[in-house]
Amino acid sequence: MNPIEILGARVVDPASGRDETTNLYIVDGRIDAIGTPSPGFTAAQTIDAQGLVLSPGLVDLSVALREPGYSRKGSIESETRAAAAGGVTSLCCPPLTRPVLDTPAVAELVLDRAQACGHARVFPIGALTRDLAGEQLAELVALRDAGCVAFGNGLTRLSSNRTLRRALEYAATFDLTIVFHSQDADLAEGGLAHEGAAASFLGLAGIPETAETVALARNLLLVEQAGVRAHFSQLTSARGAQMIGEAQARGLPVTADVAMYQLILTDEALHGFSSLYHVQPPLRTAADRDGLREAVKTGVISAIASHHQPHELDAKQAPFGETEPGISSVEILLPLALTLVQDGLLDLPTALARLTSGPARALSLSAGQLRVGAPADLVLFDPARSTVAGETWHSKGRNCPFLGHCLPGQVRHTFVGGRTTFSA
């Protein structure tokens, strides 16, 4: 690979605390030096980065690639290309594919196709149970050996608390990480929106906050008993964030993430019945949003993820309750995060920490930091320019409520292993 020098950027690396205007040098796909070039370095490409910010490539813990099985919604090619356009260089894909990502063969298929596309590094999350049915454990150790970095069952509940306990004990034996989506299926059954004033006014069946907190309390107790490492994904309530903070204070090995859109939207967005705001778990109240923001600021929630779920057009063209939940947003993850910086809710290093080193540490991924000798997985962006969401769009899914919005920041270059995977 040609040596590259990036000159005069504001280099922000939350993992090391670096925040300075300096230069970065890439040789053979790796970071060769920061500040002063190595002796004999000769650049084949020079990027003038005056006024730009250079940080580790973003790490997104939940990007549905829809392949295999759901090609009408997306593909590994389209969705990793969209991720690169958003500055994402490493991503985790959930196991809800067809067939389910519950065998080494499916994991290897995903990894082989992702490597062939080359737009981003892909880390599969394997199914905790066979076919995500909640009954028999999947081949967890074989899946780990095939490249899966964690295991979860999504919003599908296990057949019993006994089964869940045994699964966690088995995972602890092999030091595997479990990803929880905490929502009690009985309390959430039939619900479409947060149980509150907006749902009542609109006549939509509600999902109470306790659907999250009851499941979260059970899961935390079982995690404590089993001694397993756990990551709590897609928190939606202030009370849930508080419970995670209390568990961390007790020394439990737990981390958490929040969907980017939960830090911006509330259930008030449902007025008008737009299916673009139909998500599971649901958008909650302004008080919940404020609580989640505070947890992100303090680090109780150490990761912000897109929870990217692309859909074909027909999936969102029906009465609200008959549409499929989910938002396509991975390629505007960074501009959406910069709205929090613009509004004074987070400073830039903290926002980048929740998009890089925080998620990488949560699932022990080899990503999210600028270190000499490490792969040159980088994003270079212009904080002074803006992005019109949807003006260019690489995802197959256009189910995004932010389309047409003018958002702060613009990704200029994305590098994976020193290769340019996106350039504006």
Side-chain angles (χ1 to χ4, degrees), residues 34 45 64 140 157 295-296 329 374 381 383 415:
I34 301 174
Q45 180 184 359
L140 302 188
R157 64 178 166 185
V296 167
S329 62
F381 65 92
F415 300 91

Side-chain angles (χ1 to χ4, degrees), residues 192-193 196-206 273:
L192 297 170
S200 296
F201 179 78
L202 296 169
L204 296 173
F273 291 100

